[in-house]
Amino acid sequence: MAAHIGRRLRKGAATTAVAAAAVAALSASQAPGATVDDQGRQSTGDATSAPDTAADDSATGNSPYYTDLPPLNSPNPSPSAGSGDAGDQRAGEAGIPATVLDAYKQAEATLREKKPGCNLPWQLLAAIGKVESGQARGGRVTADGTTVTPILGPQLDGNGFALIRDTDNGAYDGNRMYDQAVGPMQFIPSTWDWAGRDGNGDGRKDPNNIYDAALAAGHYLCRFDWDLSQQGDLRKAILSYNNSTDYLNTVLSWLEFYRRGTHEIPDGTGALPVDRSDDTARPGVTPSAPGTTPPARPGKPSGSRPSPSPAAPGNGGSPSTPPVTPPPATPPTPTDTVHHLEDAGTGTLTAMAGHTFAERVSTRAETEAGKAVAKVRIRFTLVGDTDTTFTGGETVATVTTDASGVAVAPALQAGERTGAFAVQAAVVGRSVKGVPYRATVTARAADALALAGEKEPTCVAGGEFAEPVQVKATYRGEAAGKVAVTATLVTSADDPAENDKGPYFKDADGKAVRSLTGLRTDADGQLTLPKLYADDTAGTFLLRLTTAGGATLDVKLTVEPAAAPSPEPDPSTDPAPSTDPSTEPSTDPSETSAA
C-alpha cells in the first residue's frame, strides 16, 4: 500500500509539471495575453471562468473524465533526442486508433462544409475523446465504429456527481432512475436526444458509434457560431462540453500535444488512461470506469455475490439478515417541482424568408401554485414542415430557466420555406404540460424598386432594345435579395391589362410574350430583365414591375418610327431627250482627230 501511495504521489507531482508546461506552451502559441498560474491553469482576459450553467447543460452532464496528461515533450522527437521509456511513452500517447482517427477527420471535413466559420480542428475532437473515454478505450471498436462494449459513466445520482434523473427511460444508458454519460464522447441521454448525428450513414444516431459521436460533438462545439480558431471561443466551447476549469486545461493540453503530431495505430492497441477526476469524489466507493458494468440500480441485487444464507434456528445463529438502513431520501430537484409551463410574453413570431425573427420564444416554468422555478432545463423543438432553424443551424435548443423561471430560446433564423410551423417548449426530464408557439415565415419582399441608370429604354419600331432593363429592389433601405418579380407590358398607367402591341419579350420558342413571372433578384437585390423587342407600332409604352411586399415600378419604353425608305425614280416624270445638235456629241472623224 505504501508503495502504491508513493507511486501516486510521484505521478501527481509529474502530472502537475506536465500540465503547467503543456498549458504554458499553448498559452504562448495561441493566446496572446494569456497567463498561467503555478498549477498550470490558464486564464485569459476574455474568458477567465466557466460559464454559469447547470450541470446537465453540458454535453456530459459534467461527468467524470480522465485526468492523465500528455508527455511533456513533443510526440515527434528528433532522432537525436534519445530513446527508451520516454520515447516509447511519447510514441504511444501520440498514436490514435485508425477507426477513431478516421471518425475525427471525417467530422472535421463535414463541419468544414456545414459550418465553415467554426474552424473545428479534428485534434480538438481527439483531445476530448482522449479525456472522455481514452479514444474509445484504446480503439476497441468494430469495423463500423461501434464500441465493442458500452462505455458508461457513473450514474448521475447527486452522490458526488451532478443529480440528473432519468430522461430516456433507460434507452441509451440502461438506467431508468438516473442518467449516465454514454459512448466514446460521453453524451448524457438528454443531450444526445437533440445533438445526436448519423456520422457513418447507416440511418441511425448511435452514441456508442465513434462516427456518430464525433460528428455530434463537432456540431455541439459549433452550435453557437463560435469560431474555434479564436482562443476565447475555443475556451467557451470546451467549457460547454464539461463545465470545469481543470477539464478545460486537460483538453487544451491534449489539443496542443496532438497538434504537434500524431500517427495511426491499429484499433484496440491504444494506450489506456488511468486517473479519473472522480478518484476521490466518493470515499470508499470504487469509481465506475467507462466500459465497466454500471452500478446496480437501487432495489436490485448486483449479482456479484450470493445473498447470505440465514442461520439455522437452534444453531446459535444470528437473524438471517441484518437490518438495512435505507438511504436518505434524495431532495427534490427544481425539475421535480415544475407543474406546468406558461408563455412568458412572447410576441408575434413572424419573419420574412431568409431573415432573423425579431421576436424570441420565452417560456416560464412554474409550480402548481404559480411560483417561478429556476435552474430547469427547457427544450425548444421546431415542429412542422419548415427549414427554419435556431441560431447555429439546430432544430432543437435547450435553455436553463433563470431566477425568474424564464427560459428564452435562441433567435429563430427563417429558411426559404414559407408557411406556418410550431415551436414546442417542454421540460427536460418531466412529462408536464408544455407550450406550443405558432410561427410563420412569409415570402421575401421588397418595398421599393428603382431603375438602374438614368436613360429610359428606347428602340426603333421593328428592332430590339440595345440595353436590357435593370432594376434594384430594396426592403427598408437594404438590398432585397431573392425577391420574386413579375414584369408585364401594361396597356396604360390606369389599365393594368396586358398590352397586345408594342414591345415584347420572347419565350423559349421565340414567340412574343408580354408578361413574365418567376423572375427573382440576386443576393444584392439586382435584376436584369431578358432582352426586349419591338413590333412595328411606334409610341410610348409602359413596363410594370411588381414584387411581393407591394413594390411597383413603371418603366417607360419609347419606340420611334422607322425611317421612311428613299422613293424609286418615276420614268414618266423624266425630262425629254434634248434635240439641240450643239449638245449632241460629234461623230465627224476630222473633229475627233483635231481634238
Side-chain angles (χ1 to χ4, degrees):
M1 177 62 72
H4 173 73
I5 294 175
R7 181 186 68 81
R8 291 299 299 273
L9 289 175
R10 290 193 299 274
K11 181 177 180 64
T15 297
T16 300
V18 171
V23 177
L26 183 66
S27 300
S29 64
Q30 291 188 345
T35 59
V36 180
D37 64 19
D38 58 357
Q39 298 300 315
R41 291 187 291 267
Q42 182 186 25
S43 63
T44 64
D46 59 349
T48 57
S49 62
D52 182 16
T53 58
D56 54 349
D57 272 337
S58 66
T60 68
N62 297 337
S63 293
Y65 57 91
Y66 286 106
T67 59
D68 298 50
L69 288 167
L72 184 59
N73 295 322
S74 167
N76 292 323
S78 63
S80 60
S83 58
D85 293 343
D88 293 341
Q89 182 191 18
R90 288 192 296 271
E93 293 291 1
I96 299 179
T99 300
V100 178
L101 180 60
D102 183 59
Y104 295 149
K105 292 184 176 181
Q106 281 199 30
E108 179 198 55
T110 300
L111 268 297
R112 190 185 303 123
E113 176 185 353
K114 300 293 185 182
K115 296 184 178 181
C118 181
N119 293 307
L120 172 79
W122 67 261
Q123 291 91 341
L124 176 58
L125 297 176
I128 291 175
K130 178 70 174 181
V131 170
E132 293 295 347
S133 68
Q135 311 298 18
R137 302 299 290 160
R140 295 184 64 232
V141 295
T142 61
D144 70 346
T146 303
T147 57
V148 175
T149 56
I151 299 177
L152 296 173
Q155 64 180 13
L156 301 174
D157 57 7
N159 186 10
F161 309 118
L163 174 57
I164 305 179
R165 299 190 189 280
D166 176 55
T167 62
D168 66 330
N169 199 30
Y172 295 120
D173 54 14
N175 190 334
R176 296 185 179 182
M177 293 196 67
Y178 302 99
D179 271 352
Q180 294 175 247
V182 181
M185 303 303 276
Q186 289 289 277
F187 279 95
I188 55 174
S190 58
T191 301
W192 182 262
D193 190 52
W194 63 266
R197 293 293 190 279
D198 177 14
N200 63 350
D202 64 356
R204 300 175 60 233
K205 300 175 182 178
D206 182 4
N208 296 297
N209 182 278
I210 186 59
Y211 287 98
D212 295 359
L215 183 59
H219 275 280
Y220 186 91
L221 294 166
C222 294
R223 71 195 186 285
F224 289 132
D225 289 336
W226 283 324
D227 179 358
L228 302 187
S229 66
Q230 301 297 315
Q231 185 68 9
D233 284 357
L234 175 65
R235 292 171 61 86
K236 292 174 187 175
I238 296 172
L239 286 169
S240 78
Y241 209 88
N242 190 312
N243 189 17
S244 161
T245 303
D246 290 336
Y247 179 88
L248 168 69
N249 290 329
T250 304
V251 171
L252 288 175
S253 298
W254 282 105
L255 171 60
E256 175 66 11
F257 181 77
Y258 286 141
R259 275 176 165 162
R260 293 178 183 177
T262 60
H263 58 273
E264 178 183 301
I265 60 175
D267 289 344
T269 65
L272 297 179
V274 177
D275 296 325
R276 282 172 37 112
S277 60
D278 61 335
D279 277 353
T280 58
R282 307 169 92 178
V285 178
T286 302
S288 172
T292 63
T293 303
R297 300 174 194 164
K300 293 184 67 175
S302 66
S304 59
R305 64 178 65 181
S307 301
S309 301
N315 290 340
S318 56
S320 60
T321 351
V324 177
T325 302
T330 304
T333 67
T335 300
D336 295 330
T337 67
V338 177
H339 178 265
H340 61 273
L341 296 179
E342 291 285 348
D343 177 27
T346 305
T348 303
L349 296 170
T350 301
M352 187 187 303
H355 289 239
T356 301
F357 282 70
E359 193 72 20
R360 293 168 68 177
V361 177
S362 182
T363 298
R364 175 181 161 96
E366 297 183 354
T367 64
E368 187 173 7
K371 293 184 178 180
V373 185
K375 298 183 179 179
V376 173
R377 301 182 78 213
I378 306 298
R379 178 181 296 132
F380 299 95
T381 306
L382 303 187
V383 180
D385 185 17
T386 182
D387 56 355
T388 295
T389 64
F390 291 109
T391 301
E394 304 294 344
T395 58
V396 178
T398 303
V399 180
T400 302
T401 57
D402 59 18
S404 62
V406 174
V408 180
L412 287 166
Q413 179 66 41
E416 295 300 324
R417 195 170 301 162
T418 60
F421 64 97
V423 182
Q424 181 69 43
V427 179
V428 176
R430 286 290 305 280
S431 296
V432 300
K433 181 182 178 182
V435 181
Y437 297 84
R438 179 183 172 86
T440 304
V441 176
T442 60
R444 289 178 178 265
D447 55 16
L449 281 170
L451 184 66
E454 300 178 355
K455 294 182 179 181
E456 293 181 344
T458 303
C459 178
V460 175
E464 58 185 53
F465 289 81
E467 298 294 332
V469 175
Q470 294 180 318
V471 296
K472 181 169 184 177
T474 56
Y475 183 78
R476 297 179 180 177
E478 300 292 333
K482 301 181 181 179
V483 174
V485 179
T486 298
T488 304
L489 289 146
V490 297
T491 301
S492 69
D494 299 324
D495 185 357
E498 183 179 308
N499 208 335
D500 60 356
K501 58 185 177 181
Y504 60 91
F505 300 104
K506 288 183 179 181
D507 64 12
D509 297 326
K511 296 180 180 179
V513 292
R514 290 186 169 87
S515 184
L516 294 178
T517 59
L519 303 172
R520 196 170 293 274
T521 62
D522 63 16
D524 297 323
Q526 303 277 358
L527 172 65
T528 300
L529 272 67
K531 183 182 285 292
L532 275 163
Y533 302 85
D535 62 13
D536 294 334
T537 308
T540 301
F541 302 88
L542 284 183
L543 171 64
R544 177 162 295 173
L545 304 174
T546 58
T547 73
T552 300
L553 174 67
D554 284 345
V555 180
K556 187 169 71 172
L557 305 176
T558 302
V559 179
E560 298 175 345
S566 300
E568 292 292 332
D570 187 352
S572 64
T573 61
D574 286 349
S578 174
T579 57
D580 185 354
S582 64
T583 62
E584 293 295 320
S586 174
T587 57
D588 188 340
S590 62
E591 292 181 1
T592 303
S593 176

